[in-house]
Amino acid sequence: MKLCKKFATALIALSLYGVNYADEKKDNSFLNVQKKGEIRVCSQAGFIPFEMKDKLGEWKGFDVDIMRKFAEFHSLKLTMLDTTLDGLIPALMTNKCDMIASGLTITEKRAKAVLFSKPVFKVKITAALLDTPENREKFKNFSDIDNSNVKIASHTGSAATLYLRKTIKSANHLQFDSESAEVDALVQKRAHVFVDDNVFIDQASKEMNIKFYTLDSKQEGDLAIAARKNDVALIEKFNNFLEMIDKNGQYEKIKKVYFN
């Protein structure tokens, strides 16, 4: 009895120092990745300049370069898995990948399903129209696009689409499966405007050599990397890595490649 009392007393004492002996599973999320020697990352190619593929099918982009450096730092093989935007979180939940790196905006709804890293980039939701005198006269502010005669294009599952659902009451909202499709809708005049983040719009303007007339909303968004809710150790490793490359200048070097 004395031995049992001593053991119980010891457990109580340890609990006071934050040691939990409940049936809580140890978080081996990063150790499991290390054991495999590979980190699988779900992403949607085509979100310029965050993730895309070149003519040879090789992955490149801001997020991709950061994940590649993260993998190299921990001696891991990086495997990028091309996934539709609305399929990213389901793929993560079903263990098809370990993390998501796809220009994913932190939202309250998504934060209930996944664990986000510290922000890797900040963007602003923006409306893009063809730069004509008529458009400049007709549309002065972002709110002016909310008109029953206006067709607005956006990318299904994007932060812009989520924002439009909350704010647009009168305009016709058209959703497309890719960013390129929403831009095509504008260029082909099947839509009057498309809404996305300011970085993508700027890149699309350069790629297509088209000058857009833009209107910024008041909505800013933080882009981050995501993991499963219980994979705290994996996200902590990434956050530590992100802090390290911010201090040693690697983050700024990667940023200049795509945003100079």
Side-chain angles (χ1 to χ4, degrees):
M1 287 293 292
K2 288 183 178 179
L3 184 60
C4 290
K5 286 181 179 179
K6 287 182 179 179
F7 183 67
T9 303
L11 284 178
I12 292 170
L14 286 171
S15 68
L16 293 174
Y17 287 94
V19 180
N20 186 3
Y21 281 90
D23 294 331
E24 188 176 344
K25 291 183 180 179
K26 186 178 179 182
D27 179 8
N28 291 320
S29 54
F30 182 70
L31 288 175
N32 291 337
V33 167
Q34 278 191 314
K35 286 178 182 178
K36 290 186 300 182
E38 175 190 33
I39 185 158
R40 299 164 302 159
V41 177
C42 284
S43 186
Q44 183 186 32
F47 185 32
I48 303 169
F50 293 95
E51 36 275 323
M52 48 201 166
K53 291 181 181 179
D54 61 20
K55 293 179 181 178
L56 299 176
E58 296 293 326
W59 284 87
K60 63 178 184 177
F62 178 76
D63 285 341
V64 178
D65 283 6
I66 286 179
M67 294 310 299
R68 188 171 285 125
K69 289 289 184 183
F70 177 66
E72 288 174 0
F73 183 74
H74 291 289
S75 301
L76 301 169
K77 175 188 175 184
L78 174 64
T79 299
M80 299 293 298
L81 303 173
D82 202 352
T83 312
T84 59
L85 182 59
D86 56 357
L88 289 170
I89 292 178
L92 180 69
M93 294 298 99
T94 53
N95 297 312
K96 291 180 180 177
C97 53
D98 305 299
M99 302 181 88
I100 296 172
S102 194
L104 203 62
T105 306
I106 299 174
T107 65
E108 187 176 341
K109 183 178 179 180
R110 287 171 177 167
K112 291 178 180 178
V114 301
L115 183 63
F116 280 109
S117 70
K118 293 178 180 178
V120 296
F121 205 85
K122 186 179 288 291
V123 295
K124 180 173 284 190
I125 292 176
T126 301
L129 304 96
L130 294 176
D131 192 4
T132 65
E134 182 184 358
N135 281 339
R136 284 182 174 270
E137 179 63 30
K138 188 175 181 180
F139 303 99
K140 302 292 186 181
N141 302 294
F142 187 91
S143 59
D144 291 339
I145 68 174
D146 189 12
N147 185 295
S148 59
N149 295 322
V150 175
K151 293 180 180 178
I152 304 174
S154 72
H155 181 199
T156 301
S158 67
T161 292
L162 298 176
Y163 179 69
L164 289 172
R165 284 177 182 170
K166 291 181 180 179
T167 58
I168 296 299
K169 306 299 180 184
S170 301
N172 298 299
H173 186 190
L174 310 176
Q175 295 182 47
F176 296 88
D177 291 334
S178 67
E179 276 90 358
S180 59
E182 67 181 10
V183 179
D184 288 341
L186 175 69
V187 174
Q188 295 167 10
K189 299 184 178 179
R190 289 181 286 119
H192 300 92
V193 55
F194 77 88
V195 177
D196 213 302
D197 68 74
N198 60 314
V199 175
F200 171 75
I201 291 171
D202 183 54
Q203 291 295 323
S205 176
K206 292 174 183 176
E207 291 277 335
M208 301 181 72
N209 196 26
I210 297 175
K211 184 180 179 182
F212 295 118
Y213 170 52
T214 59
L215 302 164
D216 286 339
S217 73
K218 296 178 181 179
Q219 183 73 18
E220 289 187 334
D222 289 320
L223 309 186
I225 308 302
R228 285 177 286 274
K229 272 286 189 181
N230 293 329
D231 292 355
V232 178
L234 183 56
I235 282 292
E236 284 182 349
K237 285 290 183 182
F238 179 81
N239 283 338
N240 292 338
F241 166 79
L242 194 62
E243 185 178 351
M244 180 192 74
I245 64 171
D246 185 42
K247 288 180 178 178
N248 66 22
Q250 287 187 68
Y251 175 88
E252 198 60 33
K253 285 182 180 179
I254 295 172
K255 185 178 176 181
K256 282 183 178 179
V257 171
Y258 299 100
F259 302 102
N260 189 8

